[in-house]
Amino acid sequence: MMRAGLFLIAAALAAPAFAQSVPPMVAFIRAADNGDAAAMMAALGKDKLPREIEGCYLRRVYGNPEGGVLAAWMCAEGEKASRVVLAEVGQADGKAQMRIVRETRNKVPAPPRSGPALAPDPAPEAQK
């Protein structure tokens, strides 16, 4: 699977004019961050989302040293349990590609979504 890095996502987020021609991986992550299942499926070139992430929210996106990104989804499993799904996300053949690499069940409820997964890191002076 050919992969692109976080720089593609950062460039697409920083330049709204670039939004019309974003790479499929960026379109997928952006759609996931907005909870737009239809746009996620379009970026993947599929008519259904992987069952592991249906009804989940994108919690965080990390750079993957092997290329592409590692995306973490949080999934509620009722009031007393949750799941975390990790997936490698990249692109090939003009489509986003996603491969589930880990799924962990927890005996605690999923925390509420606290904001976008792609929120920029605070400026260094704000971290002091």
Side-chain angles (χ1 to χ4, degrees):
M1 174 185 333
M2 184 187 87
R3 301 187 185 170
L6 279 176
F7 68 93
L8 287 174
I9 295 171
L13 293 173
F18 183 64
Q20 298 302 318
S21 61
V22 296
M25 180 190 75
V26 175
F28 175 77
I29 292 294
R30 208 184 239 182
D33 200 30
N34 291 322
D36 186 343
M40 290 168 66
M41 289 183 287
L44 289 169
K46 299 187 177 202
D47 59 358
K48 191 173 181 183
L49 285 177
R51 67 169 176 71
E52 293 92 346
I53 64 166
E54 285 181 350
C56 303
Y57 68 87
L58 185 63
R59 178 105 170 139
R60 194 78 172 139
V61 177
Y62 305 93
N64 186 345
E66 298 174 10
V69 296
L70 186 63
W73 275 268
M74 178 60 68
C75 312
E77 298 280 305
E79 294 180 17
K80 297 182 180 181
S82 61
R83 281 183 303 119
V84 176
V85 177
L86 297 177
E88 291 178 339
V89 180
Q91 62 187 35
D93 303 323
K95 296 178 185 168
Q97 304 284 314
M98 185 178 111
R99 183 175 71 90
I100 304 295
V101 294
R102 184 172 184 160
E103 186 173 1
T104 304
R105 296 189 184 283
N106 303 306
K107 293 181 180 180
V108 295
R113 185 165 186 199
S114 59
L118 298 174
D121 291 329
E125 57 274 358
Q127 295 178 6
K128 294 178 183 176

